[in-house]
Amino acid sequence: GRVFNNMVALYSTANATASIGISLDGTTRYINVYYNTVRLETGTSAVTTSSFKTASNVSNVYVLNNIFSNYSKGYAYYVQSASAQVSENYNNYFSNSTTRLAFYGAEKATMADLRAASGGDVNSLNLEAYFVSENDPHLAIGNLATKAQYNADVPEDIDGTMRTPIPSPTIGAHEYVREVHDIAIVKIMSPTIDTRCVESDTIMVCVKFYNNGSSNETNVSWYAELQDVPGAISATRNFATFPLGQEKIDSVPLLLP
């Protein structure tokens, strides 16, 4: 059987500690789990949650090209017993915990730990996937594009978009289609929403960018401006080169008039 092209978004501000995105029970046999996306955020410290979980006695389970993200400090990937017959590769695992990326018979804090336990995941990644919203796990940024392994069994994504065999498709249920030129703001790292300031203060604006397009860029300029505050505009910053698929972090001071 197959479990494929599913999007699962679990979101709650309360700590829902029993939350699981995709679960395979002990009767599961001969199942391929392909091209699924799970985004789990059910509280800030729901440490027993799992984006993907299998029982200890599953067999002949193959997990390929999935995104498993956990924003509740729980597990991205949970295999109850190291003796379970599970094979995995080309997945992306993310947890905002520093100690429990996965469980494979025991807690695994890093991709290296998980690979050592599973004997698989040679091409799997540990990157933060950036989604449209908490409740919409379509990809907003293409950092997982061309990172999957093409599988002719699932040629289309969840929306009917054909997956790209060359160079390779996107990990997860959503096939991300790049524009030619697209420098994206991934995250405004500072100031934060609770930053307090008054007139004549200088605040440091720190931004993470990503070349989301399909081409290398040169002479990319940016500046910071505070909306509805006349004169609150920074000097212009410039990236001389910005290769495709690369992330950059830059800062600029902004003087409040």
mmCIF file of all heavy atoms in Angstrom, residues 59-99:
data_model
loop_
_atom_site.group_PDB
_atom_site.id
_atom_site.type_symbol
_atom_site.label_atom_id
_atom_site.label_comp_id
_atom_site.label_asym_id
_atom_site.label_seq_id
_atom_site.Cartn_x
_atom_site.Cartn_y
_atom_site.Cartn_z
ATOM 1 N N SER A 59 6.631 -3.690 9.599
ATOM 2 C CA SER A 59 7.636 -4.329 8.754
ATOM 3 C C SER A 59 7.463 -3.893 7.307
ATOM 4 O O SER A 59 6.361 -3.587 6.866
ATOM 5 C CB SER A 59 7.554 -5.859 8.852
ATOM 6 O OG SER A 59 6.331 -6.338 8.348
ATOM 7 N N ASN A 60 8.595 -3.846 6.604
ATOM 8 C CA ASN A 60 8.609 -3.483 5.188
ATOM 9 C C ASN A 60 7.928 -2.134 4.937
ATOM 10 O O ASN A 60 7.072 -1.990 4.068
ATOM 11 C CB ASN A 60 7.953 -4.581 4.349
ATOM 12 C CG ASN A 60 8.721 -5.888 4.424
ATOM 13 O OD1 ASN A 60 9.804 -6.030 3.863
ATOM 14 N ND2 ASN A 60 8.163 -6.853 5.165
ATOM 15 N N VAL A 61 8.357 -1.154 5.716
ATOM 16 C CA VAL A 61 7.878 0.219 5.563
ATOM 17 C C VAL A 61 9.011 1.043 4.959
ATOM 18 O O VAL A 61 10.148 1.003 5.444
ATOM 19 C CB VAL A 61 7.446 0.813 6.918
ATOM 20 C CG1 VAL A 61 7.114 2.291 6.779
ATOM 21 C CG2 VAL A 61 6.253 0.042 7.480
ATOM 22 N N TYR A 62 8.711 1.787 3.892
ATOM 23 C CA TYR A 62 9.700 2.618 3.228
ATOM 24 C C TYR A 62 9.224 4.060 3.263
ATOM 25 O O TYR A 62 8.128 4.367 2.798
ATOM 26 C CB TYR A 62 9.916 2.150 1.792
ATOM 27 C CG TYR A 62 11.113 2.783 1.112
ATOM 28 C CD1 TYR A 62 12.287 3.054 1.813
ATOM 29 C CD2 TYR A 62 11.075 3.107 -0.239
ATOM 30 C CE1 TYR A 62 13.381 3.617 1.190
ATOM 31 C CE2 TYR A 62 12.180 3.678 -0.870
ATOM 32 C CZ TYR A 62 13.325 3.932 -0.144
ATOM 33 O OH TYR A 62 14.412 4.492 -0.758
ATOM 34 N N VAL A 63 10.051 4.941 3.833
ATOM 35 C CA VAL A 63 9.686 6.340 4.058
ATOM 36 C C VAL A 63 10.601 7.214 3.198
ATOM 37 O O VAL A 63 11.805 7.293 3.441
ATOM 38 C CB VAL A 63 9.819 6.702 5.555
ATOM 39 C CG1 VAL A 63 9.330 8.121 5.810
ATOM 40 C CG2 VAL A 63 9.047 5.711 6.425
ATOM 41 N N LEU A 64 10.029 7.876 2.190
ATOM 42 C CA LEU A 64 10.818 8.575 1.174
ATOM 43 C C LEU A 64 10.190 9.916 0.820
ATOM 44 O O LEU A 64 8.980 10.018 0.618
ATOM 45 C CB LEU A 64 10.899 7.702 -0.090
ATOM 46 C CG LEU A 64 11.618 8.272 -1.305
ATOM 47 C CD1 LEU A 64 13.133 8.192 -1.114
ATOM 48 C CD2 LEU A 64 11.225 7.507 -2.580
ATOM 49 N N ASN A 65 11.023 10.963 0.768
ATOM 50 C CA ASN A 65 10.617 12.276 0.226
ATOM 51 C C ASN A 65 9.559 12.993 1.062
ATOM 52 O O ASN A 65 8.687 13.677 0.520
ATOM 53 C CB ASN A 65 10.091 12.125 -1.214
ATOM 54 C CG ASN A 65 11.147 11.664 -2.192
ATOM 55 O OD1 ASN A 65 12.343 11.843 -1.975
ATOM 56 N ND2 ASN A 65 10.718 11.051 -3.287
ATOM 57 N N ASN A 66 9.630 12.871 2.368
ATOM 58 C CA ASN A 66 8.641 13.505 3.249
ATOM 59 C C ASN A 66 9.243 14.668 4.031
ATOM 60 O O ASN A 66 10.433 14.670 4.354
ATOM 61 C CB ASN A 66 8.105 12.479 4.252
ATOM 62 C CG ASN A 66 7.475 11.284 3.576
ATOM 63 O OD1 ASN A 66 6.340 11.329 3.134
ATOM 64 N ND2 ASN A 66 8.232 10.187 3.494
ATOM 65 N N ILE A 67 8.388 15.622 4.378
ATOM 66 C CA ILE A 67 8.736 16.697 5.306
ATOM 67 C C ILE A 67 8.037 16.409 6.622
ATOM 68 O O ILE A 67 6.807 16.325 6.675
ATOM 69 C CB ILE A 67 8.286 18.072 4.787
ATOM 70 C CG1 ILE A 67 8.990 18.425 3.473
ATOM 71 C CG2 ILE A 67 8.551 19.154 5.839
ATOM 72 C CD1 ILE A 67 8.457 19.696 2.819
ATOM 73 N N PHE A 68 8.822 16.281 7.690
ATOM 74 C CA PHE A 68 8.271 16.086 9.033
ATOM 75 C C PHE A 68 8.811 17.205 9.924
ATOM 76 O O PHE A 68 9.985 17.186 10.303
ATOM 77 C CB PHE A 68 8.657 14.718 9.589
ATOM 78 C CG PHE A 68 8.136 13.556 8.794
ATOM 79 C CD1 PHE A 68 8.976 12.536 8.394
ATOM 80 C CD2 PHE A 68 6.796 13.475 8.447
ATOM 81 C CE1 PHE A 68 8.506 11.454 7.657
ATOM 82 C CE2 PHE A 68 6.300 12.408 7.706
ATOM 83 C CZ PHE A 68 7.162 11.394 7.309
ATOM 84 N N SER A 69 7.956 18.172 10.247
ATOM 85 C CA SER A 69 8.361 19.337 11.040
ATOM 86 C C SER A 69 7.590 19.378 12.346
ATOM 87 O O SER A 69 6.360 19.239 12.351
ATOM 88 C CB SER A 69 8.101 20.635 10.260
ATOM 89 O OG SER A 69 8.878 20.696 9.086
ATOM 90 N N ASN A 70 8.309 19.598 13.440
ATOM 91 C CA ASN A 70 7.693 19.668 14.767
ATOM 92 C C ASN A 70 8.149 20.953 15.451
ATOM 93 O O ASN A 70 9.343 21.133 15.720
ATOM 94 C CB ASN A 70 8.092 18.444 15.600
ATOM 95 C CG ASN A 70 7.279 18.330 16.883
ATOM 96 O OD1 ASN A 70 7.061 19.316 17.573
ATOM 97 N ND2 ASN A 70 6.853 17.117 17.218
ATOM 98 N N TYR A 71 7.197 21.835 15.725
ATOM 99 C CA TYR A 71 7.475 23.117 16.370
ATOM 100 C C TYR A 71 7.031 23.121 17.830
ATOM 101 O O TYR A 71 6.862 24.184 18.418
ATOM 102 C CB TYR A 71 6.785 24.250 15.610
ATOM 103 C CG TYR A 71 7.419 24.563 14.281
ATOM 104 C CD1 TYR A 71 7.039 23.877 13.132
ATOM 105 C CD2 TYR A 71 8.411 25.532 14.168
ATOM 106 C CE1 TYR A 71 7.630 24.151 11.907
ATOM 107 C CE2 TYR A 71 9.003 25.814 12.950
ATOM 108 C CZ TYR A 71 8.613 25.123 11.826
ATOM 109 O OH TYR A 71 9.208 25.389 10.610
ATOM 110 N N SER A 72 6.839 21.944 18.402
ATOM 111 C CA SER A 72 6.410 21.840 19.800
ATOM 112 C C SER A 72 7.485 21.202 20.674
ATOM 113 O O SER A 72 7.192 20.690 21.754
ATOM 114 C CB SER A 72 5.108 21.035 19.894
ATOM 115 O OG SER A 72 4.047 21.734 19.292
ATOM 116 N N LYS A 73 8.727 21.198 20.177
ATOM 117 C CA LYS A 73 9.875 20.609 20.882
ATOM 118 C C LYS A 73 9.732 19.100 21.053
ATOM 119 O O LYS A 73 10.333 18.502 21.947
ATOM 120 C CB LYS A 73 10.125 21.299 22.225
ATOM 121 C CG LYS A 73 10.489 22.770 22.079
ATOM 122 C CD LYS A 73 10.839 23.426 23.401
ATOM 123 C CE LYS A 73 11.233 24.876 23.179
ATOM 124 N NZ LYS A 73 11.547 25.581 24.441
ATOM 125 N N GLY A 74 8.917 18.508 20.167
ATOM 126 C CA GLY A 74 8.787 17.062 20.146
ATOM 127 C C GLY A 74 9.607 16.462 19.024
ATOM 128 O O GLY A 74 10.552 17.070 18.519
ATOM 129 N N TYR A 75 9.220 15.267 18.589
ATOM 130 C CA TYR A 75 9.995 14.517 17.605
ATOM 131 C C TYR A 75 9.486 14.783 16.190
ATOM 132 O O TYR A 75 8.285 14.781 15.940
ATOM 133 C CB TYR A 75 9.888 13.017 17.888
ATOM 134 C CG TYR A 75 10.331 12.621 19.274
ATOM 135 C CD1 TYR A 75 9.381 12.375 20.280
ATOM 136 C CD2 TYR A 75 11.675 12.503 19.592
ATOM 137 C CE1 TYR A 75 9.779 12.025 21.556
ATOM 138 C CE2 TYR A 75 12.081 12.144 20.869
ATOM 139 C CZ TYR A 75 11.138 11.912 21.854
ATOM 140 O OH TYR A 75 11.528 11.560 23.120
ATOM 141 N N ALA A 76 10.422 14.959 15.276
ATOM 142 C CA ALA A 76 10.054 14.997 13.866
ATOM 143 C C ALA A 76 9.761 13.585 13.365
ATOM 144 O O ALA A 76 8.867 13.385 12.532
ATOM 145 C CB ALA A 76 11.170 15.636 13.049
ATOM 146 N N TYR A 77 10.498 12.603 13.883
ATOM 147 C CA TYR A 77 10.431 11.236 13.364
ATOM 148 C C TYR A 77 10.582 10.283 14.542
ATOM 149 O O TYR A 77 11.507 10.430 15.342
ATOM 150 C CB TYR A 77 11.561 11.040 12.355
ATOM 151 C CG TYR A 77 11.522 9.756 11.561
ATOM 152 C CD1 TYR A 77 10.494 9.499 10.668
ATOM 153 C CD2 TYR A 77 12.536 8.811 11.683
ATOM 154 C CE1 TYR A 77 10.466 8.331 9.918
ATOM 155 C CE2 TYR A 77 12.526 7.636 10.928
ATOM 156 C CZ TYR A 77 11.488 7.404 10.044
ATOM 157 O OH TYR A 77 11.469 6.253 9.300
ATOM 158 N N TYR A 78 9.667 9.311 14.645
ATOM 159 C CA TYR A 78 9.663 8.432 15.816
ATOM 160 C C TYR A 78 9.448 6.991 15.348
ATOM 161 O O TYR A 78 8.383 6.645 14.834
ATOM 162 C CB TYR A 78 8.544 8.847 16.771
ATOM 163 C CG TYR A 78 8.592 8.223 18.145
ATOM 164 C CD1 TYR A 78 8.943 8.976 19.254
ATOM 165 C CD2 TYR A 78 8.254 6.881 18.347
ATOM 166 C CE1 TYR A 78 8.968 8.418 20.532
ATOM 167 C CE2 TYR A 78 8.290 6.316 19.613
ATOM 168 C CZ TYR A 78 8.645 7.091 20.702
ATOM 169 O OH TYR A 78 8.674 6.533 21.959
ATOM 170 N N VAL A 79 10.465 6.173 15.528
ATOM 171 C CA VAL A 79 10.371 4.729 15.294
ATOM 172 C C VAL A 79 10.557 4.066 16.649
ATOM 173 O O VAL A 79 11.626 4.161 17.253
ATOM 174 C CB VAL A 79 11.424 4.253 14.279
ATOM 175 C CG1 VAL A 79 11.360 2.749 14.109
ATOM 176 C CG2 VAL A 79 11.217 4.944 12.931
ATOM 177 N N GLN A 80 9.507 3.419 17.122
ATOM 178 C CA GLN A 80 9.472 2.976 18.516
ATOM 179 C C GLN A 80 10.608 2.024 18.866
ATOM 180 O O GLN A 80 11.182 2.090 19.949
ATOM 181 C CB GLN A 80 8.130 2.319 18.818
ATOM 182 C CG GLN A 80 7.915 2.022 20.293
ATOM 183 C CD GLN A 80 6.471 1.641 20.580
ATOM 184 O OE1 GLN A 80 5.573 1.863 19.777
ATOM 185 N NE2 GLN A 80 6.241 1.071 21.746
ATOM 186 N N SER A 81 10.948 1.128 17.942
ATOM 187 C CA SER A 81 12.001 0.153 18.221
ATOM 188 C C SER A 81 13.026 0.160 17.100
ATOM 189 O O SER A 81 12.674 0.227 15.919
ATOM 190 C CB SER A 81 11.404 -1.251 18.358
ATOM 191 O OG SER A 81 12.426 -2.226 18.424
ATOM 192 N N ALA A 82 14.294 0.086 17.471
ATOM 193 C CA ALA A 82 15.363 0.035 16.473
ATOM 194 C C ALA A 82 15.298 -1.241 15.645
ATOM 195 O O ALA A 82 15.930 -1.334 14.582
ATOM 196 C CB ALA A 82 16.719 0.154 17.155
ATOM 197 N N SER A 83 14.544 -2.236 16.107
ATOM 198 C CA SER A 83 14.409 -3.492 15.365
ATOM 199 C C SER A 83 13.268 -3.458 14.352
ATOM 200 O O SER A 83 13.072 -4.417 13.606
ATOM 201 C CB SER A 83 14.198 -4.658 16.333
ATOM 202 O OG SER A 83 12.983 -4.494 17.050
ATOM 203 N N ALA A 84 12.505 -2.365 14.329
ATOM 204 C CA ALA A 84 11.412 -2.255 13.357
ATOM 205 C C ALA A 84 11.982 -2.254 11.941
ATOM 206 O O ALA A 84 13.061 -1.710 11.689
ATOM 207 C CB ALA A 84 10.622 -0.974 13.602
ATOM 208 N N GLN A 85 11.269 -2.853 11.026
ATOM 209 C CA GLN A 85 11.738 -2.958 9.643
ATOM 210 C C GLN A 85 11.276 -1.729 8.852
ATOM 211 O O GLN A 85 10.278 -1.763 8.130
ATOM 212 C CB GLN A 85 11.241 -4.248 9.018
ATOM 213 C CG GLN A 85 11.770 -5.502 9.689
ATOM 214 C CD GLN A 85 11.230 -6.772 9.056
ATOM 215 O OE1 GLN A 85 10.933 -6.810 7.871
ATOM 216 N NE2 GLN A 85 11.089 -7.807 9.865
ATOM 217 N N VAL A 86 12.031 -0.643 9.016
ATOM 218 C CA VAL A 86 11.716 0.623 8.370
ATOM 219 C C VAL A 86 12.957 1.101 7.621
ATOM 220 O O VAL A 86 14.063 1.076 8.166
ATOM 221 C CB VAL A 86 11.287 1.697 9.393
ATOM 222 C CG1 VAL A 86 10.925 2.996 8.684
ATOM 223 C CG2 VAL A 86 10.124 1.208 10.240
ATOM 224 N N SER A 87 12.776 1.522 6.381
ATOM 225 C CA SER A 87 13.849 2.121 5.601
ATOM 226 C C SER A 87 13.458 3.552 5.261
ATOM 227 O O SER A 87 12.290 3.827 4.971
ATOM 228 C CB SER A 87 14.097 1.332 4.310
ATOM 229 O OG SER A 87 14.471 0.002 4.609
ATOM 230 N N GLU A 88 14.416 4.450 5.284
ATOM 231 C CA GLU A 88 14.093 5.852 5.057
ATOM 232 C C GLU A 88 15.236 6.560 4.310
ATOM 233 O O GLU A 88 16.413 6.225 4.492
ATOM 234 C CB GLU A 88 13.809 6.583 6.373
ATOM 235 C CG GLU A 88 14.853 6.410 7.461
ATOM 236 C CD GLU A 88 14.655 5.161 8.299
ATOM 237 O OE1 GLU A 88 13.582 4.993 8.872
ATOM 238 O OE2 GLU A 88 15.592 4.346 8.355
ATOM 239 N N ASN A 89 14.849 7.553 3.483
ATOM 240 C CA ASN A 89 15.831 8.366 2.775
ATOM 241 C C ASN A 89 15.137 9.558 2.128
ATOM 242 O O ASN A 89 13.919 9.551 1.928
ATOM 243 C CB ASN A 89 16.565 7.547 1.712
ATOM 244 C CG ASN A 89 17.951 8.105 1.409
ATOM 245 O OD1 ASN A 89 18.369 9.139 1.940
ATOM 246 N ND2 ASN A 89 18.672 7.431 0.537
ATOM 247 N N TYR A 90 15.902 10.579 1.816
ATOM 248 C CA TYR A 90 15.441 11.796 1.143
ATOM 249 C C TYR A 90 14.281 12.468 1.880
ATOM 250 O O TYR A 90 13.399 13.067 1.257
ATOM 251 C CB TYR A 90 15.030 11.495 -0.306
ATOM 252 C CG TYR A 90 16.200 11.164 -1.206
ATOM 253 C CD1 TYR A 90 16.579 9.835 -1.422
ATOM 254 C CD2 TYR A 90 16.950 12.165 -1.837
ATOM 255 C CE1 TYR A 90 17.658 9.517 -2.244
ATOM 256 C CE2 TYR A 90 18.024 11.858 -2.656
ATOM 257 C CZ TYR A 90 18.371 10.529 -2.857
ATOM 258 O OH TYR A 90 19.438 10.223 -3.669
ATOM 259 N N ASN A 91 14.279 12.376 3.190
ATOM 260 C CA ASN A 91 13.287 13.088 3.993
ATOM 261 C C ASN A 91 13.914 14.348 4.582
ATOM 262 O O ASN A 91 15.142 14.482 4.630
ATOM 263 C CB ASN A 91 12.781 12.189 5.122
ATOM 264 C CG ASN A 91 12.142 10.921 4.606
ATOM 265 O OD1 ASN A 91 11.133 10.958 3.911
ATOM 266 N ND2 ASN A 91 12.749 9.775 4.932
ATOM 267 N N ASN A 92 13.065 15.248 5.039
ATOM 268 C CA ASN A 92 13.543 16.417 5.780
ATOM 269 C C ASN A 92 12.909 16.407 7.160
ATOM 270 O O ASN A 92 11.684 16.415 7.294
ATOM 271 C CB ASN A 92 13.185 17.720 5.070
ATOM 272 C CG ASN A 92 13.815 18.916 5.774
ATOM 273 O OD1 ASN A 92 15.016 19.132 5.696
ATOM 274 N ND2 ASN A 92 13.006 19.686 6.494
ATOM 275 N N TYR A 93 13.772 16.359 8.178
ATOM 276 C CA TYR A 93 13.322 16.313 9.568
ATOM 277 C C TYR A 93 13.680 17.628 10.249
ATOM 278 O O TYR A 93 14.817 18.097 10.162
ATOM 279 C CB TYR A 93 14.005 15.180 10.322
ATOM 280 C CG TYR A 93 13.929 13.828 9.664
ATOM 281 C CD1 TYR A 93 15.069 13.205 9.158
ATOM 282 C CD2 TYR A 93 12.716 13.142 9.561
ATOM 283 C CE1 TYR A 93 15.009 11.956 8.571
ATOM 284 C CE2 TYR A 93 12.649 11.893 8.971
ATOM 285 C CZ TYR A 93 13.799 11.300 8.479
ATOM 286 O OH TYR A 93 13.736 10.058 7.889
ATOM 287 N N PHE A 94 12.712 18.207 10.964
ATOM 288 C CA PHE A 94 12.989 19.428 11.722
ATOM 289 C C PHE A 94 12.237 19.399 13.036
ATOM 290 O O PHE A 94 11.036 19.109 13.071
ATOM 291 C CB PHE A 94 12.582 20.681 10.947
ATOM 292 C CG PHE A 94 12.740 21.947 11.750
ATOM 293 C CD1 PHE A 94 13.981 22.551 11.859
ATOM 294 C CD2 PHE A 94 11.658 22.505 12.417
ATOM 295 C CE1 PHE A 94 14.146 23.710 12.622
ATOM 296 C CE2 PHE A 94 11.804 23.652 13.187
ATOM 297 C CZ PHE A 94 13.051 24.259 13.282
ATOM 298 N N SER A 95 12.936 19.705 14.116
ATOM 299 C CA SER A 95 12.313 19.939 15.420
ATOM 300 C C SER A 95 12.971 21.164 16.029
ATOM 301 O O SER A 95 14.186 21.361 15.897
ATOM 302 C CB SER A 95 12.499 18.741 16.352
ATOM 303 O OG SER A 95 12.028 19.053 17.663
ATOM 304 N N ASN A 96 12.181 21.992 16.710
ATOM 305 C CA ASN A 96 12.767 23.146 17.382
ATOM 306 C C ASN A 96 13.341 22.784 18.752
ATOM 307 O O ASN A 96 13.761 23.665 19.499
ATOM 308 C CB ASN A 96 11.762 24.294 17.504
ATOM 309 C CG ASN A 96 10.532 23.938 18.329
ATOM 310 O OD1 ASN A 96 10.280 22.775 18.651
ATOM 311 N ND2 ASN A 96 9.736 24.939 18.677
ATOM 312 N N SER A 97 13.393 21.505 19.052
ATOM 313 C CA SER A 97 14.122 21.024 20.227
ATOM 314 C C SER A 97 15.597 20.830 19.867
ATOM 315 O O SER A 97 15.918 20.428 18.748
ATOM 316 C CB SER A 97 13.542 19.696 20.714
ATOM 317 O OG SER A 97 14.395 19.097 21.669
ATOM 318 N N THR A 98 16.469 21.091 20.804
ATOM 319 C CA THR A 98 17.901 20.876 20.569
ATOM 320 C C THR A 98 18.342 19.475 20.959
ATOM 321 O O THR A 98 19.486 19.093 20.698
ATOM 322 C CB THR A 98 18.737 21.896 21.361
ATOM 323 O OG1 THR A 98 18.432 21.769 22.754
ATOM 324 C CG2 THR A 98 18.439 23.321 20.901
ATOM 325 N N THR A 99 17.437 18.681 21.540
ATOM 326 C CA THR A 99 17.835 17.356 22.040
ATOM 327 C C THR A 99 17.032 16.209 21.444
ATOM 328 O O THR A 99 17.425 15.053 21.586
ATOM 329 C CB THR A 99 17.691 17.286 23.575
ATOM 330 O OG1 THR A 99 16.321 17.529 23.934
ATOM 331 C CG2 THR A 99 18.591 18.307 24.249
#
